[in-house]
Amino acid sequence: MPLPRLWLLWALLLSASVLSLGLIAKKLPGFTIGEFSVDQELSRDHNSALTAVAMTLNYVFSPVGGVVIIAAVALYLLVMHKSPINAVAFGGVAAAGWLSSQLFKVLVERQRPNPALLFDPLAPETGSNSFPSGHVALAVGLAWAFFFLARNSRWARLAGVAGIAVPIIVAWSRLYIGVHYPSDVLASLLAASAMVILFAGVWNRYQGRILPRIPLLGRFGPVASPNNQR
């Protein structure tokens, strides 16, 4: 997988930025009050078309939706394309980006926006798991996974454009619904990218030693070297 130089340092710096942003957002009440005004303004201007889009994304990028998408694409690559390395790599990249949100949710424990203060709460949620957004982290993880998969094909440009557009649209939907603050969705972009970089670095270093030893993958054909796949 392609990586920046000093990839471990990049992963650490992005993670530190996410944690710092989360602690600032949690400790400074004025910061959260200012952010909440964005949610309230979006809540004031709901319309049926945008609400339908936002609620559809709410379900597609939910935990259940994430499992279905990742499993379906990985299974397709494994069974239809006989490409075990791509199947494992796709699943690993997408999951790494997605699960990054769970780590920082535990570390920061920021309360979600109060739905009672919104003009039109569409999917009221409460709890201390606001920072960062799992939906956006999933979208970013999938964006990286599809880009890595398509980067040497005619689909690379489309994957790149969609990989930028879809996470931004999902981030907007979380604010539109009123279940996250702007810093929550921004942090997801950074957190998911940090974990994808970390996963890619570990993958590049160790996959050639580990994957050939997994018996299940051998049933779908030989496990090729990293020079032949991805």
Side-chain angles (χ1 to χ4, degrees), residues 136-167:
V136 178
L138 170 59
V140 174
L142 287 170
W144 279 114
F146 278 113
F147 176 73
F148 286 156
L149 188 65
R151 74 182 192 279
N152 293 323
S153 73
R154 61 192 177 96
W155 302 104
R157 184 183 297 273
L158 177 61
V161 172
I164 294 173
V166 172

mmCIF file of all heavy atoms in Angstrom, residues 136-167:
data_model
loop_
_atom_site.group_PDB
_atom_site.id
_atom_site.type_symbol
_atom_site.label_atom_id
_atom_site.label_comp_id
_atom_site.label_asym_id
_atom_site.label_seq_id
_atom_site.Cartn_x
_atom_site.Cartn_y
_atom_site.Cartn_z
ATOM 1 N N VAL A 136 -18.855 8.781 10.204
ATOM 2 C CA VAL A 136 -17.866 9.429 9.344
ATOM 3 C C VAL A 136 -16.583 8.606 9.294
ATOM 4 O O VAL A 136 -15.966 8.468 8.232
ATOM 5 C CB VAL A 136 -17.576 10.862 9.834
ATOM 6 C CG1 VAL A 136 -16.512 11.524 8.962
ATOM 7 C CG2 VAL A 136 -18.852 11.699 9.817
ATOM 8 N N ALA A 137 -16.183 8.042 10.421
ATOM 9 C CA ALA A 137 -14.985 7.203 10.433
ATOM 10 C C ALA A 137 -15.152 6.002 9.499
ATOM 11 O O ALA A 137 -14.210 5.609 8.797
ATOM 12 C CB ALA A 137 -14.678 6.734 11.857
ATOM 13 N N LEU A 138 -16.334 5.417 9.486
ATOM 14 C CA LEU A 138 -16.609 4.309 8.572
ATOM 15 C C LEU A 138 -16.500 4.776 7.125
ATOM 16 O O LEU A 138 -15.896 4.101 6.274
ATOM 17 C CB LEU A 138 -18.006 3.742 8.837
ATOM 18 C CG LEU A 138 -18.532 2.725 7.812
ATOM 19 C CD1 LEU A 138 -17.614 1.512 7.717
ATOM 20 C CD2 LEU A 138 -19.955 2.300 8.179
ATOM 21 N N ALA A 139 -17.077 5.938 6.820
ATOM 22 C CA ALA A 139 -17.019 6.465 5.449
ATOM 23 C C ALA A 139 -15.573 6.710 5.024
ATOM 24 O O ALA A 139 -15.196 6.416 3.877
ATOM 25 C CB ALA A 139 -17.827 7.754 5.359
ATOM 26 N N VAL A 140 -14.757 7.225 5.924
ATOM 27 C CA VAL A 140 -13.351 7.485 5.601
ATOM 28 C C VAL A 140 -12.594 6.174 5.418
ATOM 29 O O VAL A 140 -11.797 6.024 4.482
ATOM 30 C CB VAL A 140 -12.692 8.346 6.694
ATOM 31 C CG1 VAL A 140 -11.189 8.499 6.434
ATOM 32 C CG2 VAL A 140 -13.356 9.718 6.765
ATOM 33 N N GLY A 141 -12.825 5.212 6.310
ATOM 34 C CA GLY A 141 -12.169 3.916 6.172
ATOM 35 C C GLY A 141 -12.513 3.244 4.857
ATOM 36 O O GLY A 141 -11.636 2.694 4.175
ATOM 37 N N LEU A 142 -13.783 3.288 4.475
ATOM 38 C CA LEU A 142 -14.200 2.708 3.197
ATOM 39 C C LEU A 142 -13.596 3.476 2.023
ATOM 40 O O LEU A 142 -13.217 2.877 1.003
ATOM 41 C CB LEU A 142 -15.719 2.710 3.095
ATOM 42 C CG LEU A 142 -16.453 1.685 3.957
ATOM 43 C CD1 LEU A 142 -17.953 1.955 3.951
ATOM 44 C CD2 LEU A 142 -16.173 0.263 3.469
ATOM 45 N N ALA A 143 -13.507 4.788 2.154
ATOM 46 C CA ALA A 143 -12.934 5.601 1.077
ATOM 47 C C ALA A 143 -11.485 5.198 0.819
ATOM 48 O O ALA A 143 -11.071 5.018 -0.336
ATOM 49 C CB ALA A 143 -13.017 7.084 1.441
ATOM 50 N N TRP A 144 -10.707 5.051 1.886
ATOM 51 C CA TRP A 144 -9.316 4.614 1.724
ATOM 52 C C TRP A 144 -9.251 3.207 1.152
ATOM 53 O O TRP A 144 -8.425 2.913 0.285
ATOM 54 C CB TRP A 144 -8.589 4.668 3.064
ATOM 55 C CG TRP A 144 -8.103 6.017 3.472
ATOM 56 C CD1 TRP A 144 -8.529 6.769 4.528
ATOM 57 C CD2 TRP A 144 -7.075 6.796 2.844
ATOM 58 N NE1 TRP A 144 -7.851 7.955 4.595
ATOM 59 C CE2 TRP A 144 -6.945 7.992 3.575
ATOM 60 C CE3 TRP A 144 -6.265 6.589 1.730
ATOM 61 C CZ2 TRP A 144 -6.025 8.987 3.225
ATOM 62 C CZ3 TRP A 144 -5.342 7.573 1.383
ATOM 63 C CH2 TRP A 144 -5.225 8.753 2.125
ATOM 64 N N ALA A 145 -10.105 2.326 1.641
ATOM 65 C CA ALA A 145 -10.076 0.932 1.183
ATOM 66 C C ALA A 145 -10.392 0.831 -0.308
ATOM 67 O O ALA A 145 -9.703 0.109 -1.049
ATOM 68 C CB ALA A 145 -11.063 0.100 1.996
ATOM 69 N N PHE A 146 -11.408 1.550 -0.768
ATOM 70 C CA PHE A 146 -11.748 1.517 -2.189
ATOM 71 C C PHE A 146 -10.666 2.185 -3.040
ATOM 72 O O PHE A 146 -10.382 1.735 -4.156
ATOM 73 C CB PHE A 146 -13.099 2.200 -2.429
ATOM 74 C CG PHE A 146 -14.281 1.312 -2.164
ATOM 75 C CD1 PHE A 146 -15.148 1.572 -1.105
ATOM 76 C CD2 PHE A 146 -14.532 0.211 -2.975
ATOM 77 C CE1 PHE A 146 -16.246 0.754 -0.864
ATOM 78 C CE2 PHE A 146 -15.627 -0.616 -2.740
ATOM 79 C CZ PHE A 146 -16.478 -0.347 -1.680
ATOM 80 N N PHE A 147 -10.054 3.240 -2.510
ATOM 81 C CA PHE A 147 -8.992 3.904 -3.272
ATOM 82 C C PHE A 147 -7.783 2.981 -3.431
ATOM 83 O O PHE A 147 -7.216 2.874 -4.525
ATOM 84 C CB PHE A 147 -8.573 5.202 -2.591
ATOM 85 C CG PHE A 147 -7.421 5.873 -3.296
ATOM 86 C CD1 PHE A 147 -7.621 6.507 -4.510
ATOM 87 C CD2 PHE A 147 -6.151 5.842 -2.756
ATOM 88 C CE1 PHE A 147 -6.553 7.110 -5.174
ATOM 89 C CE2 PHE A 147 -5.081 6.437 -3.412
ATOM 90 C CZ PHE A 147 -5.290 7.075 -4.624
ATOM 91 N N PHE A 148 -7.362 2.329 -2.354
ATOM 92 C CA PHE A 148 -6.244 1.391 -2.456
ATOM 93 C C PHE A 148 -6.560 0.274 -3.445
ATOM 94 O O PHE A 148 -5.701 -0.165 -4.203
ATOM 95 C CB PHE A 148 -5.927 0.792 -1.084
ATOM 96 C CG PHE A 148 -5.235 1.739 -0.144
ATOM 97 C CD1 PHE A 148 -5.329 1.550 1.234
ATOM 98 C CD2 PHE A 148 -4.497 2.809 -0.617
ATOM 99 C CE1 PHE A 148 -4.686 2.410 2.115
ATOM 100 C CE2 PHE A 148 -3.857 3.682 0.251
ATOM 101 C CZ PHE A 148 -3.946 3.487 1.629
ATOM 102 N N LEU A 149 -7.803 -0.179 -3.412
ATOM 103 C CA LEU A 149 -8.208 -1.267 -4.292
ATOM 104 C C LEU A 149 -8.180 -0.848 -5.763
ATOM 105 O O LEU A 149 -7.803 -1.633 -6.641
ATOM 106 C CB LEU A 149 -9.611 -1.736 -3.912
ATOM 107 C CG LEU A 149 -10.158 -2.993 -4.587
ATOM 108 C CD1 LEU A 149 -9.341 -4.214 -4.179
ATOM 109 C CD2 LEU A 149 -11.623 -3.181 -4.221
ATOM 110 N N ALA A 150 -8.555 0.397 -6.045
ATOM 111 C CA ALA A 150 -8.723 0.852 -7.426
ATOM 112 C C ALA A 150 -7.561 1.683 -7.945
ATOM 113 O O ALA A 150 -7.579 2.100 -9.103
ATOM 114 C CB ALA A 150 -10.008 1.678 -7.535
ATOM 115 N N ARG A 151 -6.528 1.908 -7.146
ATOM 116 C CA ARG A 151 -5.541 2.926 -7.491
ATOM 117 C C ARG A 151 -4.774 2.635 -8.776
ATOM 118 O O ARG A 151 -4.297 3.559 -9.438
ATOM 119 C CB ARG A 151 -4.565 3.133 -6.329
ATOM 120 C CG ARG A 151 -3.544 2.035 -6.140
ATOM 121 C CD ARG A 151 -2.675 2.328 -4.924
ATOM 122 N NE ARG A 151 -1.534 1.458 -4.872
ATOM 123 C CZ ARG A 151 -1.546 0.218 -4.420
ATOM 124 N NH1 ARG A 151 -2.688 -0.298 -3.959
ATOM 125 N NH2 ARG A 151 -0.449 -0.505 -4.404
ATOM 126 N N ASN A 152 -4.630 1.384 -9.158
ATOM 127 C CA ASN A 152 -3.908 1.045 -10.383
ATOM 128 C C ASN A 152 -4.843 0.654 -11.527
ATOM 129 O O ASN A 152 -4.418 0.005 -12.484
ATOM 130 C CB ASN A 152 -2.929 -0.107 -10.113
ATOM 131 C CG ASN A 152 -1.809 0.306 -9.181
ATOM 132 O OD1 ASN A 152 -1.328 1.438 -9.247
ATOM 133 N ND2 ASN A 152 -1.403 -0.592 -8.294
ATOM 134 N N SER A 153 -6.095 1.060 -11.429
ATOM 135 C CA SER A 153 -7.078 0.692 -12.448
ATOM 136 C C SER A 153 -7.715 1.938 -13.044
ATOM 137 O O SER A 153 -7.439 3.064 -12.622
ATOM 138 C CB SER A 153 -8.169 -0.195 -11.837
ATOM 139 O OG SER A 153 -9.029 0.580 -11.003
ATOM 140 N N ARG A 154 -8.604 1.733 -14.001
ATOM 141 C CA ARG A 154 -9.303 2.861 -14.622
ATOM 142 C C ARG A 154 -10.317 3.496 -13.680
ATOM 143 O O ARG A 154 -10.894 4.548 -13.998
ATOM 144 C CB ARG A 154 -9.988 2.411 -15.900
ATOM 145 C CG ARG A 154 -11.045 1.329 -15.716
ATOM 146 C CD ARG A 154 -11.462 0.748 -17.060
ATOM 147 N NE ARG A 154 -12.416 -0.342 -16.935
ATOM 148 C CZ ARG A 154 -13.729 -0.190 -17.031
ATOM 149 N NH1 ARG A 154 -14.237 1.013 -17.232
ATOM 150 N NH2 ARG A 154 -14.535 -1.229 -16.920
ATOM 151 N N TRP A 155 -10.546 2.863 -12.544
ATOM 152 C CA TRP A 155 -11.498 3.392 -11.568
ATOM 153 C C TRP A 155 -10.826 4.285 -10.527
ATOM 154 O O TRP A 155 -11.486 4.759 -9.604
ATOM 155 C CB TRP A 155 -12.212 2.245 -10.854
ATOM 156 C CG TRP A 155 -12.946 1.329 -11.774
ATOM 157 C CD1 TRP A 155 -12.571 0.080 -12.168
ATOM 158 C CD2 TRP A 155 -14.183 1.601 -12.440
ATOM 159 N NE1 TRP A 155 -13.482 -0.465 -13.024
ATOM 160 C CE2 TRP A 155 -14.501 0.451 -13.223
ATOM 161 C CE3 TRP A 155 -15.053 2.684 -12.462
ATOM 162 C CZ2 TRP A 155 -15.635 0.379 -14.003
ATOM 163 C CZ3 TRP A 155 -16.198 2.615 -13.247
ATOM 164 C CH2 TRP A 155 -16.480 1.479 -13.993
ATOM 165 N N ALA A 156 -9.537 4.525 -10.660
ATOM 166 C CA ALA A 156 -8.798 5.265 -9.630
ATOM 167 C C ALA A 156 -9.341 6.683 -9.440
ATOM 168 O O ALA A 156 -9.522 7.137 -8.305
ATOM 169 C CB ALA A 156 -7.316 5.296 -9.980
ATOM 170 N N ARG A 157 -9.585 7.394 -10.551
ATOM 171 C CA ARG A 157 -10.080 8.771 -10.437
ATOM 172 C C ARG A 157 -11.449 8.808 -9.757
ATOM 173 O O ARG A 157 -11.694 9.640 -8.875
ATOM 174 C CB ARG A 157 -10.155 9.424 -11.814
ATOM 175 C CG ARG A 157 -10.558 10.893 -11.772
ATOM 176 C CD ARG A 157 -10.685 11.453 -13.185
ATOM 177 N NE ARG A 157 -9.407 11.418 -13.863
ATOM 178 C CZ ARG A 157 -8.498 12.382 -13.778
ATOM 179 N NH1 ARG A 157 -8.731 13.447 -13.026
ATOM 180 N NH2 ARG A 157 -7.354 12.284 -14.432
ATOM 181 N N LEU A 158 -12.341 7.898 -10.163
ATOM 182 C CA LEU A 158 -13.666 7.850 -9.547
ATOM 183 C C LEU A 158 -13.559 7.531 -8.067
ATOM 184 O O LEU A 158 -14.250 8.140 -7.241
ATOM 185 C CB LEU A 158 -14.524 6.797 -10.251
ATOM 186 C CG LEU A 158 -15.929 6.574 -9.670
ATOM 187 C CD1 LEU A 158 -16.743 7.851 -9.738
ATOM 188 C CD2 LEU A 158 -16.641 5.444 -10.409
ATOM 189 N N ALA A 159 -12.692 6.584 -7.718
ATOM 190 C CA ALA A 159 -12.513 6.233 -6.309
ATOM 191 C C ALA A 159 -11.981 7.409 -5.511
ATOM 192 O O ALA A 159 -12.377 7.633 -4.363
ATOM 193 C CB ALA A 159 -11.572 5.036 -6.188
ATOM 194 N N GLY A 160 -11.083 8.186 -6.115
ATOM 195 C CA GLY A 160 -10.538 9.348 -5.428
ATOM 196 C C GLY A 160 -11.581 10.426 -5.199
ATOM 197 O O GLY A 160 -11.680 10.994 -4.103
ATOM 198 N N VAL A 161 -12.372 10.717 -6.238
ATOM 199 C CA VAL A 161 -13.412 11.744 -6.106
ATOM 200 C C VAL A 161 -14.476 11.311 -5.101
ATOM 201 O O VAL A 161 -14.875 12.080 -4.215
ATOM 202 C CB VAL A 161 -14.058 12.024 -7.480
ATOM 203 C CG1 VAL A 161 -15.263 12.951 -7.322
ATOM 204 C CG2 VAL A 161 -13.038 12.647 -8.424
ATOM 205 N N ALA A 162 -14.934 10.053 -5.222
ATOM 206 C CA ALA A 162 -15.943 9.548 -4.289
ATOM 207 C C ALA A 162 -15.383 9.477 -2.870
ATOM 208 O O ALA A 162 -16.111 9.718 -1.897
ATOM 209 C CB ALA A 162 -16.418 8.162 -4.732
ATOM 210 N N GLY A 163 -14.092 9.165 -2.775
ATOM 211 C CA GLY A 163 -13.469 9.063 -1.456
ATOM 212 C C GLY A 163 -13.386 10.384 -0.727
ATOM 213 O O GLY A 163 -13.264 10.411 0.503
ATOM 214 N N ILE A 164 -13.440 11.477 -1.463
ATOM 215 C CA ILE A 164 -13.485 12.803 -0.840
ATOM 216 C C ILE A 164 -14.932 13.230 -0.600
ATOM 217 O O ILE A 164 -15.283 13.728 0.475
ATOM 218 C CB ILE A 164 -12.765 13.838 -1.725
ATOM 219 C CG1 ILE A 164 -11.272 13.515 -1.807
ATOM 220 C CG2 ILE A 164 -12.975 15.253 -1.181
ATOM 221 C CD1 ILE A 164 -10.507 14.371 -2.796
ATOM 222 N N ALA A 165 -15.778 13.013 -1.601
ATOM 223 C CA ALA A 165 -17.148 13.513 -1.532
ATOM 224 C C ALA A 165 -18.000 12.783 -0.496
ATOM 225 O O ALA A 165 -18.731 13.422 0.281
ATOM 226 C CB ALA A 165 -17.800 13.406 -2.909
ATOM 227 N N VAL A 166 -17.914 11.449 -0.467
ATOM 228 C CA VAL A 166 -18.810 10.685 0.407
ATOM 229 C C VAL A 166 -18.577 10.991 1.886
ATOM 230 O O VAL A 166 -19.553 11.255 2.623
ATOM 231 C CB VAL A 166 -18.699 9.178 0.120
ATOM 232 C CG1 VAL A 166 -19.478 8.368 1.155
ATOM 233 C CG2 VAL A 166 -19.220 8.865 -1.283
ATOM 234 N N PRO A 167 -17.326 10.978 2.402
ATOM 235 C CA PRO A 167 -17.154 11.331 3.813
ATOM 236 C C PRO A 167 -17.641 12.739 4.151
ATOM 237 O O PRO A 167 -18.180 12.962 5.247
ATOM 238 C CB PRO A 167 -15.635 11.204 4.017
ATOM 239 C CG PRO A 167 -15.198 10.205 3.009
ATOM 240 C CD PRO A 167 -16.055 10.492 1.806
#
